[in-house]
Structures are given as C-alpha cells and as structure tokens.
Amino acid sequence: MSAFLIGAATSAHQTEGNNVFSDCWAMEHMKHSSFIEPSGIAADHYHHFEEDIALLAEAGCNAYRFSVEWARIEPEEGRFSEEAAAHYRAVAEACRRHGLEPVVTLHHFSSPVWLIQKGGWESDETPALFARYARYISERLGKINYLSTINEANMGEGIARAVQAFSASLQVGVDAEAFRARASEAAKENREVFGTPSPAVFLGARTARGNEIIKQAHRMARAAVREVLQGCKVGLTLSLHDVQAQKGGEALAAEEWQSEFCDWLPAVEGDDFIGVQNYTRKVFGKDGELPPPEGAERTQMGYEFYPEALEHVVRRVWHEARLPVLVTENGVAAKDDARRCTFIERALKGVLRCKQELPVLGYLHWSLLDNFEWQKGFQMQFGLVSVDRDTMARTPKESLSVLGRINKEFI
Ligand code: BGC
C-alpha cells in the first residue's frame, strides 16, 4: 500500500461519456431539464483513460480516484455486463502499471434508470441491490486498497435544506408562477421516464428515511466489499464546508454542522477512513448564512476562494470522528490556472501541517480533467488538464505540475 496518497479524482458520469442507462442521462435529455446541456461524450475518458492516467503519473502523482458506473455494470436489473466490469478492471490495472494507487468509488451521484423506477434512494430495496452490485464489481477489479462506497452521502440532505429555503423565498408573482408551471411540466416528463412525478434520484432532496436508506446501503456494501477485497480500506465521502460562526451565529452554524457531518457519524462507525470533500467555507451570522466578505475573490461556481477551509475541516473531522481522513476532493473552478496553483499550494500546506499530527491518508484534487459539472455543464473549469471539446485533445496545465512537484519535493 502506498504511503501518503497524492493525486486527482474524477467521476464516471462527468468524464466518460455516453452513460446512456443512467438517470442523469435521462434527466439531461428532458425538455424541462435542470441541466444546461447534456453530458454527451463528456471528456471521452472511457476511451482516453490510459492517456489520462499516464499524465497524472508523469507529473509525479501516486494516486487516482475514479468511479465505477453502476448503470454500465447493471444496465437492467439483474443483468450484469462482464464487458463493463472488464473496462474498470483495465482502469485499475492502468493505475497500477503507472505506479498510481487506484482509489475506487462505487457510486458518484448517477444511478441506473431502473433503480429510480423502483423507488431509487427512498426505497427499502435499494441497500440490498447496491450491495449486490458492490460485490459483483469487487470480485472483478483485482487488488484494490482504497474504496469508498458512496460519494457525498450527505448531498440529498443539503439539497433538501436548499429546496426548503428556496420554496420559502418563492413569492407570489410572475417568477413564482413561471417556476411552478415549469415544475409541473418537468413532473410530467418524470412520470414518463421514471414512472413518478418526483423520482428519488441521488441528486435530489432526501427525506429522513432516505438518509437512513443511504446509510444502510453503505453498511451493506461495505460488508460485501470487505468479504471480497481482503485488507481494502473502505469508507464513504461527505461534502463538508468549513462551518464558521460570527457573533450570534453559533446556533445556526452548529445546526449546519450537525446535518452536514454529525448526522452521518452513525454511518461511518466501523469504517477504515472518512472521505472529506471540501471546496470553501460557510459563515453564519445571527440571521443566517453570510455572503463572502466584501471584495473576496469568488470562483466560477460563485464560492469564496478560501483554500484554508480544508485544514480546518480535516482537523474537525478527525477530532469528532477519530477516523483516518482521506481528502477525496478539494479544488477550485477557475479559468485562470494560476489561481488553481495558488489554491493547491495553500490547501496542501494545511494538509501537510495536519499530517504531522493526525492520521491523514492523502489528498486527491478535484479534478484531473475539465469535465461535466452536472447542471452547470461544461462551463466550469476544475481540471488540472484541459480537454478540447472538439478534438478531445488533452493539455496538462501548470497546476498538474505543481501538484506532482509537491509530492516529489515535500512528501
Ligand atoms: C462532487 C463532484 C463535483 C464537485 C465540484 C463535488 O460535490 O463530488 O462531482 O464536480 O463537487 O462541484
């Protein structure tokens, strides 16, 4: 097993292209889609993975996090694809051949359409179905030392809170009416594709029961993986802000951290590590979340540029969960790559300080490639490598060298 992991992450749906059996693909092609464009061939990573992995290795990194697409492995319920499984085995082998530790994610937001038609992430049947898929792919990947079951298990809880706040802010008027009309059209399309007006996709608002189903899916998949992949470290990943309070905002900040993190402690109990995914901070005042300070730099996503958030989160997570921490995502959407270089240097300085004192297993930057940023499409630039959208030609950015150099010189 490698020592400290330094590398980058991607997910299948965002990079591979033509993920035609997935719920995201279906949603992207609806007339009233919330996606600004479809993923199409994405970064065609399905065919370029060898080249992409080589770029990461040549830069001096030692780890690559990728996800397996359930909808490719099991395009119809109970029909498994040996061909798709062989593809992911080849990706893991390419990592090993290039001296990279493969870090596998079993579920990164997208799910098979059939699963959603059966009730998706609100159905009691899902944990067992997920565990069956987890076992199937674990038996076919070869030696894997690090695996996370579910990416950002807490995502739906965050979406539920955002939806609630949005609904409360919807005033009567032209905008509210237009929004409701559009929502009703979207509901019709959902019924046609998923058999229900409000499909329980992963990237949707979760109920309390849905969150319990996700926890159970994690536990059952973890048990299946451990049975097959002896010695593999298994965890799940969480989307975590550096939650801060100004005077009077302490209670709201505590509430936020409770739902982002503390609610998930029962799920990670018994895990081998916890995957931390952090992009910025959230600051609370007495009346709610505060906007970034006047004059603060913002990323393409609109977040405050604040790489120091990562160190704060890693420390807090370790102190409260007492589990080794693997930074499974951290990054910045920026057109100017010099900002990404600075972001990496500042974020990693903090991680290396943590490493002196706490069990930190590694740092995986989001993302290796400029890719499909879900609803926001291809306009966000998170990559260490740019991808020409017409030719699919790859161009490594300076930030990739910065990441590799830190590994070679400081670790
Ligand atoms: C997700 C990625 C996403 C990234 C940047 C994380 O929440 O895991 O899929 O691209 O953030 O927004």
Tab-separated table of all heavy atoms in Angstrom, residues 215 270 338 382 395:
chain	number	residue	atom	x	y	z
A	215	LYS	N	-27.515	5.256	4.458
A	215	LYS	CA	-26.603	4.714	5.492
A	215	LYS	C	-26.582	3.187	5.434
A	215	LYS	O	-25.531	2.555	5.521
A	215	LYS	CB	-27.032	5.192	6.889
A	215	LYS	CG	-26.764	6.671	7.100
A	215	LYS	CD	-27.315	7.165	8.425
A	215	LYS	CE	-27.309	8.689	8.419
A	215	LYS	NZ	-28.131	9.299	9.444
A	270	GLY	N	-17.094	2.238	12.295
A	270	GLY	CA	-16.586	0.959	11.806
A	270	GLY	C	-15.902	1.064	10.446
A	270	GLY	O	-15.390	0.083	9.928
A	338	ALA	N	-3.460	29.906	-12.799
A	338	ALA	CA	-2.564	30.401	-11.729
A	338	ALA	C	-3.316	30.405	-10.391
A	338	ALA	O	-2.730	30.170	-9.329
A	338	ALA	CB	-2.074	31.806	-12.065
A	382	PHE	N	-12.581	22.878	-13.583
A	382	PHE	CA	-11.996	22.342	-12.349
A	382	PHE	C	-10.701	21.564	-12.637
A	382	PHE	O	-10.055	21.091	-11.721
A	382	PHE	CB	-12.981	21.348	-11.698
A	382	PHE	CG	-14.010	21.975	-10.789
A	382	PHE	CD1	-15.312	22.200	-11.212
A	382	PHE	CD2	-13.679	22.313	-9.477
A	382	PHE	CE1	-16.268	22.737	-10.361
A	382	PHE	CE2	-14.632	22.850	-8.618
A	382	PHE	CZ	-15.919	23.065	-9.061
A	395	THR	N	-4.516	18.853	-22.684
A	395	THR	CA	-3.373	19.734	-22.441
A	395	THR	C	-3.197	19.891	-20.933
A	395	THR	O	-4.046	20.495	-20.268
A	395	THR	CB	-3.599	21.136	-23.076
A	395	THR	OG1	-3.989	20.943	-24.430
A	395	THR	CG2	-2.332	21.976	-23.007
